[in-house]
Amino acid sequence: GDSVTQMEGPVTLSEEAFLTINCTYTATGYPSLFWYVQYPGEGLQLLLKATKADDKGSNKGFEATYRKETTSFHLEKGSVQVSDSAVYFCALLYTGGFKTIFGAGTRLFVKA
Amino acid sequence: DTAVSQTPKYLVTQMGNDKSIKCEQNLGHDTMYWYKQDSKKFLKIMFSYNNKELIINETVPNRFSPKSPDKAHLNLHINSLELGDSAVYFCASSQVSGTGNSNQPQHFGDGTRLSIL
């Protein structure tokens, strides 16, 4: 069945370091891919998305490119801030589908 | 003008009690969801309703019963609470129909933290 696999956390970085959180997926069709972020005490919120192969989603300095050949959607940011400390979820959804498949989440800690 | 609101935010109760969590969305979405998030942040879908019809019903004990009185509301009632029910429960909504190939993301509430004593 369809699934999403994320790198295990926690990931601990110093401020201004480069961030990569790996995400790979297994899908029988061509889903849209998402990254959600969850700050402490809050619900998930959309960070960025990509709807087809080679699309790049970007928001708040974060980027991810939909790579069909490697079935990946890795999240990157060039310079993290303490305020980026959160849990990040990779997810996939088919067109017209009701069920979003979430990865297990990756916790990020950024130290000042 | 909160988009997805859940009440209560915290719920502390004893084993064996019955409790309800309410959810409302003002985004005009046609689909609503309940998720359970455990202490390791793993998110598990429980139920989904589209236009008040149940469309996703994952393997959840039948002590959990969702109810959708209209498209904007999805409540969750839990009977005979057990220790293992302690978790954060999230309500979410999204627009599924009429969006063509543009898959719309889900919008989440801030969660209800349920603690069973």
Side-chain angles (χ1 to χ4, degrees), chain A residues 31-32 34 36 38 41-46 49 51 87 89 93-100 102-104 107, chain B residues 9 31 33 35 37 40-43 45 48 50 55-56 58 90 96 100-106 108-110:
Chain A
S32 292
F34 302 82
Y36 287 82
Q38 183 180 23
E42 297 183 10
L44 281 69
Q45 55 186 274
L46 177 70
K49 75 174 189 180
T51 57
V87 181
F89 292 88
L93 174 67
Y94 287 102
T95 301
F98 294 100
K99 188 173 179 180
T100 296
F102 287 93
R107 190 186 290 270
Chain B
K9 190 171 176 68
T31 305
Y33 311 81
Y35 289 89
Q37 186 176 49
K40 295 185 178 178
K41 300 298 185 183
F42 186 75
L43 204 61
I45 180 76
S48 177
N50 173 253
I55 49 163
I56 293 177
E58 294 290 295
F90 285 101
V96 175
N101 288 326
S102 175
N103 292 323
Q104 297 303 303
Q106 295 185 12
F108 284 77
D110 282 339

Side-chain angles (χ1 to χ4, degrees), chain B:
Chain B
D1 55 344
T2 306
V4 180
S5 59
Q6 303 178 220
T7 54
K9 190 171 176 68
Y10 299 96
L11 192 48
V12 181
T13 189
Q14 296 198 325
M15 257 194 330
N17 284 349
D18 304 338
K19 290 293 178 186
S20 291
I21 308 172
K22 295 188 175 183
C23 179
E24 175 181 5
Q25 54 98 1
N26 63 5
L27 296 166
H29 289 163
D30 60 3
T31 305
M32 295 184 73
Y33 311 81
W34 277 112
Y35 289 89
K36 179 180 181 181
Q37 186 176 49
D38 64 23
S39 58
K40 295 185 178 178
K41 300 298 185 183
F42 186 75
L43 204 61
K44 179 183 173 185
I45 180 76
M46 300 173 70
F47 303 102
S48 177
Y49 273 73
N50 173 253
N51 289 317
K52 302 194 301 174
E53 299 295 323
L54 180 67
I55 49 163
I56 293 177
N57 186 357
E58 294 290 295
T59 308
V60 175
N62 55 18
R63 299 182 294 103
F64 290 78
S65 52
K67 190 165 286 187
S68 182
D70 55 57
K71 271 185 7 173
H73 295 84
L74 179 61
N75 304 322
L76 183 66
H77 187 77
I78 315 169
N79 287 327
S80 303
L81 281 156
E82 300 177 357
L83 286 175
D85 298 333
S86 294
V88 181
Y89 292 84
F90 285 101
C91 177
S93 73
S94 70
Q95 182 65 26
V96 175
S97 63
T99 60
N101 288 326
S102 175
N103 292 323
Q104 297 303 303
Q106 295 185 12
H107 295 249
F108 284 77
D110 282 339
T112 296
R113 184 176 295 276
L114 174 62
S115 300
I116 310 301
L117 303 177

